[in-house]
């Protein structure tokens, strides 16, 4: 399917606030206007150049920060997205935070405490590898807290994100959408390849058995928390190259819309000759 000229990637893959979400109707094999990586490689290269240009301006501009949330089932490619999409950007302007099982200190605080501390400062792009959404995903699926506790968190998260958005944090949230079959292939590949085995955890098989519960939890998280100020994007991710392409497109469109400018230079520089 080709992308109509007037449609941006933000519009195409973004979830409109209030829209119903049915993940089973979204094709994880979608590759947009391309049939193969080979066909897309020129566009990918051009896109990477654009991302580099806009990040350079964004960093120099120093007026806003960009928070990128990555959520997905195991093997969907959170690590790969960070590695490939951010290739070539200035590392000085990027932070990556991975949220694991909370430490005892983190558990002793409210669930947003560790999140707020990691929000990027102005000029920076901050990437969250997992996020506060774990507190309505894994926590909900495993009943780590009662329903009357996790069910209130959607509104709390919306308020928290609104607070950030009103304070110069631009937020993008990506759900990397893969199929159950594709996950099986990727988990098997991890087992078969000695260099990938370190990424395999027996726990992943246990979580895989809860696939439907996770899909229900993701559906609610995306549906209840895709807002004007912090939209969710559902990214077809069975093909890694297309996943990277769409994520990069959404980031570039978002940076472009912000129209970051290099700060004005000092006055009177025209006549200076450096000897
Ligand atoms: P990934 O699987 O994302 O590539 P990893 O394998 O390096 O990361 P893991 O040790 O699997 O890292 O850590 C992530 C684990 O922490 C996941 O199982 C995730 O569900 C869990 N986790 C993250 N946040 C929370 C939370 N708030 N409460 C409970 N568990 C959480
Ligand atoms: Mg893991």
């Amino acid at each position: 399917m080709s992308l109509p000229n007037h449609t941006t990637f933000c519009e195409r893959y973004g979830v409109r606030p209030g829209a119903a979400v049915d993940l089973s109707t979204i094709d994880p094999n979608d590759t947009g206007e391309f049939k193969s990586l080979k066909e897309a490689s020129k566009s990918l290269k051009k896109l990477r150049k654009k991302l580099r240009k806009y990040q350079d301006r964004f960093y120099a501009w120093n007026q806003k920060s960009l928070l990128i949330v990555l959520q997905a089932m195991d093997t969907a490619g959170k690590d790969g997205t960070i590695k490939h999409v951010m290739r070539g950007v200035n590392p000085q302007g990027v932070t990556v935070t991975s949220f694991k099982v909370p430490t005892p200190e983190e558990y002793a605080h409210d669930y947003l405490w560790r999140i707020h501390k990691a929000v990027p400062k102005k000029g920076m792009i901050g990437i969250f590898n997992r996020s506060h959404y774990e507190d309505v995903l894994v926590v909900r699926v495993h009943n780590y807290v009662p329903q009357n506790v996790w069910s209130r968190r959607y509104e709390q998260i919306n308020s928290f994100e609104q607070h950030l958005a009103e304070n110069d944090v631009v937020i993008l949230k990506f759900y990397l959408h893969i199929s159950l079959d594709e996950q099986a292939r990727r988990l098997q590949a991890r087992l078969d390849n000695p260099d990938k085995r370190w990424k395999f955890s027996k726990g992943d098989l246990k979580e895989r058995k809860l696939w439907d519960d996770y899909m229900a939890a993701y559906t609610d998280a995306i549906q209840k928390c895709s807002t004007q100020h912090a939209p969710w994007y559902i990214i077809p991710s069975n093909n890694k190259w297309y996943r990277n392409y769409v994520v990069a497109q959404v980031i570039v469109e978002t940076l472009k819309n912000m129209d970051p400018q290099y700060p004005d230079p000092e006055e009177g520089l025209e006549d200076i000759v450096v000897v």
Side-chain angles (χ1 to χ4, degrees):
M1 204 167 63
S2 69
L3 193 65
N5 283 339
H6 60 273
T7 312
T8 62
F9 281 81
C10 287
E11 281 162 353
R12 183 167 183 197
Y13 293 103
V15 176
R16 269 176 295 109
V21 172
D22 181 353
L23 289 172
S24 69
T25 63
I26 298 174
D27 181 11
N29 283 308
D30 176 18
T31 53
E33 69 263 51
F34 304 112
K35 288 202 180 66
S36 64
L37 166 60
K38 205 166 158 224
E39 238 185 70
S41 64
K42 238 184 169 169
S43 306
L44 264 162
K45 230 172 137 186
K46 263 170 65 185
L47 185 60
R48 238 178 238 129
K49 240 174 122 179
K50 272 195 203 165
L51 180 56
R52 224 170 297 157
K53 179 180 105 176
Y54 282 114
Q55 187 225 358
D56 199 59
R57 282 173 185 240
F58 183 74
Y59 182 76
W61 189 45
N62 205 24
Q63 297 296 307
K64 287 176 186 284
S65 64
L66 179 64
L67 171 61
I68 296 173
V69 169
L70 292 175
Q71 283 289 161
M73 297 298 285
D74 284 310
T75 75
K78 297 186 301 298
D79 292 351
T81 303
I82 297 168
K83 208 189 298 183
H84 293 283
V85 174
M86 289 297 148
R87 196 161 74 193
V89 303
N90 178 4
Q92 226 180 171
V94 181
T95 58
V96 180
T97 312
S98 297
F99 292 99
K100 310 269 184 185
V101 176
T103 62
E105 197 193 9
E106 287 169 347
Y107 265 130
H109 290 83
D110 75 277
Y111 69 100
L112 292 173
W113 179 74
R114 65 175 182 165
I115 305 295
H116 204 158
K117 281 201 301 187
V119 170
K121 61 184 176 185
K122 284 178 188 160
M124 300 293 288
I125 297 177
I127 302 173
F128 283 2
N129 182 347
R130 302 185 191 269
S131 65
H132 42 305
Y133 283 93
E134 292 293 323
D135 293 282
V136 288
L137 293 165
V138 66
V139 168
R140 161 174 161 167
V141 168
H142 288 278
N143 299 307
Y144 291 152
V145 299
Q147 175 165 5
N148 68 354
V149 174
W150 61 251
S151 62
R152 276 195 236 127
R153 289 182 173 171
Y154 302 101
E155 257 184 70
Q156 294 164 1
I157 288 173
N158 285 342
S159 306
F160 169 66
E161 291 177 352
Q162 183 168 353
H163 162 81
L164 294 180
E166 286 173 6
N167 287 278
D168 303 313
V169 183
V170 176
I171 305 169
L172 297 174
K173 302 178 297 202
F174 295 106
Y175 169 62
L176 311 180
H177 182 45
I178 57 164
S179 61
L180 186 62
D181 285 354
E182 181 62 19
Q183 193 195 46
R185 278 191 286 280
R186 292 185 186 185
L187 284 171
Q188 192 61 51
R190 285 185 180 180
L191 285 168
D192 294 345
N193 180 344
D195 290 348
K196 285 190 177 171
R197 236 170 252 165
W198 67 275
K199 278 197 154 196
F200 185 88
S201 137
K202 287 183 190 154
D204 295 349
L205 297 179
K206 262 176 44 202
E207 297 312 294
R208 176 176 164 75
K209 290 211 174 86
L210 300 168
W211 186 273
D212 290 344
D213 294 346
Y214 271 106
M215 288 307 108
Y218 267 109
T219 302
D220 268 357
I222 294 169
Q223 209 165 255
K224 291 177 193 286
C225 300
S226 196
T227 55
Q228 207 71 45
H229 55 268
W232 269 107
Y233 295 88
I234 301 175
I235 310 297
S237 298
N238 275 9
N239 294 284
K240 296 173 183 173
W241 59 270
Y242 193 64
R243 172 200 73 202
N244 297 341
Y245 182 70
V246 178
V247 170
Q249 282 281 12
V250 171
I251 297 172
V252 166
E253 284 174 8
T254 303
L255 287 173
K256 193 174 171 198
N257 284 341
M258 280 189 245
D259 195 23
Q261 300 294 327
Y262 289 115
D264 289 335
E266 283 177 47
E267 281 182 25
L269 299 185
E270 299 78 20
D271 302 329
I272 297 179
V273 179
V274 181
V275 289

